[in-house]
Amino acid sequence: MALTPATHTAPPAKFSHGVRKGNILQVAGQVGFLPAEPGKPPVPAGPTLREQTLRTFANVEAILREGGASWDDVLMIRVYLTEVEHFAEMNEIYNAYFADLTVAPAARTTVYVGLPPGLLIEIDALAVLD
Amino acid sequence: MALTPATHTAPPAKFSHGVRKGNILQVAGQVGFLPAEPGKPPVPAGPTLREQTLRTFANVEAILREGGASWDDVLMIRVYLTEVEHFAEMNEIYNAYFADLTVAPAARTTVYVGLPPGLLIEIDALAVLD
Amino acid sequence: MALTPATHTAPPAKFSHGVRKGNILQVAGQVGFLPAEPGKPPVPAGPTLREQTLRTFANVEAILREGGASWDDVLMIRVYLTEVEHFAEMNEIYNAYFADLTVAPAARTTVYVGLPPGLLIEIDALAVLD
């Protein structure tokens, strides 16, 4: 089942923002694009890391919800940053965002890669529902 | 169960090109190597992005088939490119390749990383069979 | 269920070193930190690639064990290196480490990314238990 929240632009290629099969839900790599406006190209939140990161979290969460899941179900989060210098600030934002989790936080891998100009962070997530 | 298509050289280390356990099938990172010739080192298709990408897709597909799966079963595709400038062309190739999918396309994450010289793209895939 | 081996420092943010849900176990990205000493910041093994890689494997394995799994259960290993030149040596270390596996080796993806200063390798793993 493809998951396409109303807030999202169509993917830029033939992939799904998220897919759920049985109790496994995979969220595609999300970046900090603001809610889609019809007929306009996607625009990232920003320019700060904080704004982009919070928007990226919101975009992941919208897909989880569309598939009947929540952050509580997420087993693994992959964080792609462009700058090693952003690690500490991203962690602060991350901790505040997940402060209220009542289950085990997801595992996580963070690595530093290239992203298209203007993008500072990309996040994807794997959820396994009970 | 290790999945080793006849077209593939032995992996360069003690890993499997693909593994299936129950209904979950993971394809290892594939690059655009041409079908293996006994006694010769692997040679990538190319030099164009198109040739390498199509060969990489074929290599992923061979492993899916070896495990009794198809692209229809794929939940997540990870694309590693070396050049941000290749994103648009890769998407064109991707869309044409998947034009006939009748199920929800897989989720996808694309990031830009380093690869050994001569390689432009690496792809891995996670399938969950019905 | 969060997996936190005694040898590990607390994660630097609100994530788990590993999580198991049902028969699926995800190990977070591990680096070559030496066993945690209370009150001290984490220190990577090294400075050689060999020392860091073996320590990183040990850190992954500790999490697998904490979750009731072993390398035999691992379906996928992701290896993040900082230097393309390290590929051959990493494979030698990898092959020796897994020489005694009696099951199909895990699938693997290796890509080259940035990591914080002093770190040469990061590894995560997905296990599916029987």
Short mmCIF file of all heavy atoms in Angstrom, two decimals, chain A residues 70-95:
data_model
loop_
_atom_site.label_atom_id
_atom_site.label_comp_id
_atom_site.label_asym_id
_atom_site.label_seq_id
_atom_site.Cartn_x
_atom_site.Cartn_y
_atom_site.Cartn_z
N SER A 70 2.91 5.22 14.25
CA SER A 70 3.39 6.42 14.92
C SER A 70 4.88 6.22 15.21
O SER A 70 5.44 5.15 14.96
CB SER A 70 2.62 6.66 16.21
OG SER A 70 3.06 5.76 17.20
N TRP A 71 5.51 7.25 15.78
CA TRP A 71 6.93 7.13 16.14
C TRP A 71 7.16 5.97 17.10
O TRP A 71 8.25 5.41 17.15
CB TRP A 71 7.43 8.43 16.76
CG TRP A 71 7.58 9.55 15.78
CD1 TRP A 71 6.83 10.68 15.71
CD2 TRP A 71 8.57 9.68 14.73
NE1 TRP A 71 7.28 11.49 14.69
CE2 TRP A 71 8.34 10.90 14.08
CE3 TRP A 71 9.61 8.86 14.28
CZ2 TRP A 71 9.12 11.33 13.00
CZ3 TRP A 71 10.39 9.28 13.21
CH2 TRP A 71 10.15 10.51 12.58
N ASP A 72 6.14 5.62 17.88
CA ASP A 72 6.29 4.49 18.81
C ASP A 72 6.60 3.18 18.10
O ASP A 72 7.15 2.25 18.70
CB ASP A 72 4.98 4.27 19.59
CG ASP A 72 4.75 5.32 20.65
OD1 ASP A 72 5.65 6.16 20.88
OD2 ASP A 72 3.66 5.32 21.25
N ASP A 73 6.22 3.10 16.84
CA ASP A 73 6.42 1.86 16.09
C ASP A 73 7.75 1.81 15.35
O ASP A 73 8.09 0.79 14.75
CB ASP A 73 5.29 1.71 15.05
CG ASP A 73 3.92 1.70 15.69
OD1 ASP A 73 3.69 0.85 16.57
OD2 ASP A 73 3.08 2.55 15.34
N VAL A 74 8.46 2.93 15.36
CA VAL A 74 9.66 3.00 14.52
C VAL A 74 10.83 2.24 15.15
O VAL A 74 11.17 2.44 16.32
CB VAL A 74 10.04 4.46 14.23
CG1 VAL A 74 11.36 4.55 13.46
CG2 VAL A 74 8.92 5.13 13.42
N LEU A 75 11.42 1.37 14.35
CA LEU A 75 12.52 0.51 14.80
C LEU A 75 13.86 1.15 14.47
O LEU A 75 14.84 1.00 15.20
CB LEU A 75 12.41 -0.83 14.06
CG LEU A 75 13.28 -1.98 14.53
CD1 LEU A 75 12.72 -2.54 15.82
CD2 LEU A 75 13.34 -3.07 13.47
N MET A 76 13.91 1.86 13.34
CA MET A 76 15.20 2.37 12.85
C MET A 76 15.00 3.68 12.12
O MET A 76 14.09 3.82 11.29
CB MET A 76 15.80 1.35 11.87
CG MET A 76 17.14 1.75 11.26
SD MET A 76 18.46 1.91 12.54
CE MET A 76 19.92 2.02 11.48
N ILE A 77 15.85 4.64 12.45
CA ILE A 77 15.86 5.94 11.79
C ILE A 77 17.25 6.14 11.18
O ILE A 77 18.26 5.95 11.85
CB ILE A 77 15.56 7.07 12.81
CG1 ILE A 77 14.12 6.95 13.32
CG2 ILE A 77 15.82 8.44 12.21
CD1 ILE A 77 13.77 7.90 14.46
N ARG A 78 17.27 6.49 9.91
CA ARG A 78 18.54 6.83 9.26
C ARG A 78 18.59 8.32 9.03
O ARG A 78 17.68 8.89 8.42
CB ARG A 78 18.69 6.07 7.94
CG ARG A 78 18.82 4.58 8.16
CD ARG A 78 19.09 3.77 6.91
NE ARG A 78 19.13 2.37 7.27
CZ ARG A 78 20.21 1.74 7.78
NH1 ARG A 78 21.35 2.41 7.92
NH2 ARG A 78 20.14 0.50 8.15
N VAL A 79 19.64 8.94 9.55
CA VAL A 79 19.82 10.38 9.42
C VAL A 79 21.02 10.65 8.53
O VAL A 79 22.12 10.15 8.79
CB VAL A 79 20.04 11.05 10.79
CG1 VAL A 79 20.28 12.55 10.63
CG2 VAL A 79 18.86 10.78 11.72
N TYR A 80 20.79 11.40 7.47
CA TYR A 80 21.86 11.80 6.56
C TYR A 80 22.07 13.30 6.70
O TYR A 80 21.16 14.08 6.40
CB TYR A 80 21.49 11.46 5.12
CG TYR A 80 21.25 9.97 4.91
CD1 TYR A 80 19.97 9.44 4.96
CD2 TYR A 80 22.32 9.11 4.71
CE1 TYR A 80 19.76 8.07 4.79
CE2 TYR A 80 22.12 7.74 4.55
CZ TYR A 80 20.83 7.23 4.58
OH TYR A 80 20.62 5.88 4.43
N LEU A 81 23.23 13.68 7.20
CA LEU A 81 23.57 15.08 7.33
C LEU A 81 24.64 15.43 6.30
O LEU A 81 25.41 14.57 5.86
CB LEU A 81 24.14 15.37 8.73
CG LEU A 81 23.15 15.31 9.90
CD1 LEU A 81 23.92 15.44 11.23
CD2 LEU A 81 22.12 16.42 9.80
N THR A 82 24.70 16.72 5.96
CA THR A 82 25.75 17.13 5.02
C THR A 82 27.00 17.62 5.76
O THR A 82 28.08 17.65 5.18
CB THR A 82 25.25 18.26 4.09
OG1 THR A 82 24.79 19.35 4.90
CG2 THR A 82 24.12 17.78 3.19
N GLU A 83 26.84 18.02 7.03
CA GLU A 83 27.95 18.63 7.76
C GLU A 83 28.17 17.96 9.11
O GLU A 83 27.25 17.90 9.94
CB GLU A 83 27.65 20.12 8.03
CG GLU A 83 27.30 20.94 6.81
CD GLU A 83 28.43 21.08 5.83
OE1 GLU A 83 29.60 20.97 6.26
OE2 GLU A 83 28.15 21.30 4.63
N VAL A 84 29.38 17.47 9.35
CA VAL A 84 29.71 16.87 10.65
C VAL A 84 29.44 17.89 11.77
O VAL A 84 29.00 17.52 12.86
CB VAL A 84 31.19 16.42 10.69
CG1 VAL A 84 31.60 16.00 12.10
CG2 VAL A 84 31.40 15.25 9.71
N GLU A 85 29.62 19.15 11.49
CA GLU A 85 29.45 20.20 12.50
C GLU A 85 27.99 20.30 12.97
O GLU A 85 27.70 20.95 13.97
CB GLU A 85 29.90 21.55 11.95
CG GLU A 85 31.40 21.66 11.70
CD GLU A 85 31.89 20.79 10.55
OE1 GLU A 85 31.09 20.51 9.63
OE2 GLU A 85 33.07 20.38 10.58
N HIS A 86 27.07 19.70 12.25
CA HIS A 86 25.66 19.78 12.63
C HIS A 86 25.22 18.69 13.59
O HIS A 86 24.07 18.67 14.03
CB HIS A 86 24.77 19.73 11.36
CG HIS A 86 24.79 20.99 10.57
ND1 HIS A 86 24.32 21.07 9.28
CD2 HIS A 86 25.20 22.24 10.89
CE1 HIS A 86 24.44 22.30 8.83
NE2 HIS A 86 24.98 23.04 9.78
N PHE A 87 26.11 17.77 13.93
CA PHE A 87 25.72 16.59 14.72
C PHE A 87 25.14 17.00 16.09
O PHE A 87 24.07 16.54 16.48
CB PHE A 87 26.93 15.67 14.91
CG PHE A 87 26.63 14.38 15.63
CD1 PHE A 87 25.76 13.44 15.08
CD2 PHE A 87 27.23 14.09 16.85
CE1 PHE A 87 25.49 12.23 15.74
CE2 PHE A 87 26.97 12.88 17.50
CZ PHE A 87 26.10 11.96 16.95
N ALA A 88 25.85 17.86 16.80
CA ALA A 88 25.42 18.21 18.16
C ALA A 88 24.07 18.93 18.13
O ALA A 88 23.17 18.62 18.92
CB ALA A 88 26.48 19.08 18.84
N GLU A 89 23.91 19.87 17.22
CA GLU A 89 22.65 20.62 17.16
C GLU A 89 21.50 19.69 16.73
O GLU A 89 20.39 19.78 17.27
CB GLU A 89 22.76 21.79 16.18
CG GLU A 89 21.50 22.66 16.16
CD GLU A 89 21.55 23.79 15.14
OE1 GLU A 89 22.61 23.99 14.51
OE2 GLU A 89 20.51 24.45 14.96
N MET A 90 21.78 18.81 15.79
CA MET A 90 20.73 17.87 15.36
C MET A 90 20.31 17.00 16.54
O MET A 90 19.13 16.72 16.72
CB MET A 90 21.25 17.01 14.20
CG MET A 90 20.22 16.10 13.55
SD MET A 90 20.08 14.47 14.37
CE MET A 90 21.69 13.75 13.99
N ASN A 91 21.28 16.58 17.35
CA ASN A 91 20.93 15.75 18.51
C ASN A 91 20.05 16.50 19.51
O ASN A 91 19.13 15.92 20.10
CB ASN A 91 22.20 15.25 19.21
CG ASN A 91 22.74 14.00 18.54
OD1 ASN A 91 22.01 13.26 17.86
ND2 ASN A 91 24.03 13.75 18.72
N GLU A 92 20.33 17.77 19.70
CA GLU A 92 19.48 18.58 20.60
C GLU A 92 18.04 18.62 20.10
O GLU A 92 17.09 18.47 20.85
CB GLU A 92 19.99 20.02 20.69
CG GLU A 92 21.19 20.22 21.57
CD GLU A 92 21.65 21.68 21.51
OE1 GLU A 92 20.79 22.58 21.34
OE2 GLU A 92 22.87 21.91 21.61
N ILE A 93 17.91 18.87 18.81
CA ILE A 93 16.58 18.95 18.20
C ILE A 93 15.90 17.59 18.28
O ILE A 93 14.70 17.48 18.60
CB ILE A 93 16.72 19.40 16.71
CG1 ILE A 93 17.39 20.78 16.63
CG2 ILE A 93 15.36 19.40 16.02
CD1 ILE A 93 17.92 21.12 15.24
N TYR A 94 16.68 16.56 18.03
CA TYR A 94 16.20 15.18 18.05
C TYR A 94 15.68 14.81 19.45
O TYR A 94 14.59 14.25 19.60
CB TYR A 94 17.38 14.29 17.65
CG TYR A 94 17.09 12.85 17.28
CD1 TYR A 94 16.92 12.49 15.95
CD2 TYR A 94 17.06 11.85 18.24
CE1 TYR A 94 16.71 11.16 15.58
CE2 TYR A 94 16.85 10.53 17.89
CZ TYR A 94 16.67 10.19 16.56
OH TYR A 94 16.46 8.87 16.21
N ASN A 95 16.47 15.15 20.45
CA ASN A 95 16.09 14.80 21.82
C ASN A 95 14.82 15.51 22.26
O ASN A 95 13.96 14.93 22.93
CB ASN A 95 17.22 15.15 22.78
CG ASN A 95 18.41 14.23 22.61
OD1 ASN A 95 18.30 13.21 21.93
ND2 ASN A 95 19.52 14.57 23.21
#
